Amino acid sequence: MTGSVSWIRMASAHAGMVPVVRLVSAEAVTAQIEAANASGIAVAFRVDPEDQLQVGLAGRGLSALRQPGSAFLILDAGAVRNRVSSASAATESALRSLRNASGESFQHVRKALVSGSFPSSSLRDLPRLLPMEERLSMNASQAHGQVEYGDHASLPKRSARSGSNGWFPHVDLTLDGHWRIELEERNSDRTGYGRCALATVASGEWKSRTECWGTSVVKKVADGSTTVDGVKFVVPAAWLSVRANQHISRFARDR
């Protein structure tokens, strides 16, 4: 509890910093909110909708805020691919519980729902045009006032065993509501990225790209470069930033 309060107090010394309340116990939440109220700092709550303890503690914290209009409530539904229905039900239940527990504060706090659906497993058996299911998970939140959209920027949760059986080279193009995935079934073939990039640039979807750093990398690799900005784009890790940059750039463009 002492550490949590120290975190709130430390954050209050830095303008613009918004600490996330640690949802570990009722006593710890009460102490953190008292510290936040005393300093006037804005706080955020990051809640797993399926974790009843976190939902209950967040409701307790929200109800005790002196200035709920400056606070943030982030519902993180996690990975929702092939589980949009259950994730949406959990989100709706959590929002209902939070509304009941926090009373008037619920109307004033800024709310966002975040989730992700880019697969963490092999892409080999998935469609080459893959829907972004995180957008579907927003539906359940709209009955509870203004809830803003958020996501994991096309980055999947990395499993502890990921990469243990090799990888297939693939280049991803972020579109409106979909990812276009160009993949070669050649295990751990470092030369495959050039061919995937070339096929991506030659595809009909390329004209719908967002002009950004990520798509410029795809074009340079398609033109024969394996190193861009000092980074070798011949292994999966380097390509994560390419997909994420496209996603964030498209989101920013649409704001």
Side-chain angles (χ1 to χ4, degrees):
M1 185 169 69
T2 302
S4 300
V5 173
S6 296
W7 164 238
I8 301 293
R9 289 173 178 164
M10 182 190 75
S12 68
H14 301 274
M17 192 171 183
V18 181
V20 176
V21 175
R22 295 192 63 216
L23 303 174
V24 291
S25 69
E27 294 76 16
V29 169
T30 297
Q32 289 172 85
I33 299 305
E34 287 177 351
N37 285 338
S39 65
I41 190 174
V43 295
F45 300 82
R46 191 180 187 102
V47 181
D48 177 351
E50 297 183 12
D51 188 321
Q52 295 304 308
L53 175 62
Q54 288 188 13
V55 172
L57 291 174
R60 181 189 186 96
L62 284 169
S63 67
L65 283 174
R66 196 170 291 162
Q67 296 179 309
S70 62
F72 299 86
L73 171 62
I74 304 166
L75 291 171
D76 191 339
V80 297
R81 178 150 301 279
N82 299 324
R83 56 178 293 271
V84 170
S85 179
S86 61
S88 297
T91 297
E92 186 172 14
S93 176
L95 284 167
R96 191 182 308 113
S97 296
L98 287 162
R99 179 193 292 272
N100 292 338
S102 59
E104 185 70 18
S105 293
F106 187 86
Q107 302 301 325
H108 299 289
V109 65
R110 186 172 178 180
K111 297 173 281 290
L113 171 63
V114 302
S115 62
S117 70
F118 197 89
S120 56
S121 57
S122 172
L123 303 174
R124 183 181 186 183
D125 300 320
L126 294 173
R128 297 285 73 91
L129 201 60
L130 192 65
M132 295 179 181
E133 295 187 356
E134 50 265 61
R135 299 199 174 195
L136 301 177
S137 67
M138 279 294 295
N139 295 341
S141 66
Q142 299 310 304
H144 299 273
Q146 185 177 4
V147 179
E148 299 178 56
Y149 170 82
D151 58 41
H152 296 162
S154 294
L155 296 175
K157 181 178 180 180
R158 187 172 175 84
S159 63
R161 294 176 54 112
S162 60
S164 59
N165 297 316
W167 41 266
F168 295 121
H170 62 93
V171 170
D172 312 315
L173 184 64
T174 301
L175 304 168
D176 282 332
H178 290 79
W179 295 283
R180 183 195 183 279
I181 300 169
E182 186 68 39
L183 178 144
E184 283 195 356
E185 295 188 25
R186 302 186 185 191
N187 199 313
S188 304
D189 183 356
R190 295 162 67 95
T191 68
Y193 285 105
R195 294 186 295 273
C196 287
L198 189 61
T200 299
V201 171
S203 70
E205 290 86 7
W206 181 249
K207 65 180 181 295
S208 299
R209 70 190 180 279
T210 298
E211 294 289 353
C212 60
W213 174 83
T215 50
S216 76
V217 170
V218 176
K219 183 62 169 64
K220 288 174 183 176
V221 173
D223 289 341
S225 298
T226 58
T227 302
V228 180
D229 298 333
V231 177
K232 289 186 177 295
F233 285 89
V234 293
V235 292
W239 286 91
L240 292 175
S241 59
V242 172
R243 188 174 66 239
N245 177 261
Q246 292 179 63
H247 189 109
I248 294 168
S249 297
R250 182 170 288 267
F251 188 89
R253 180 205 68 182
D254 295 338
R255 292 289 287 175

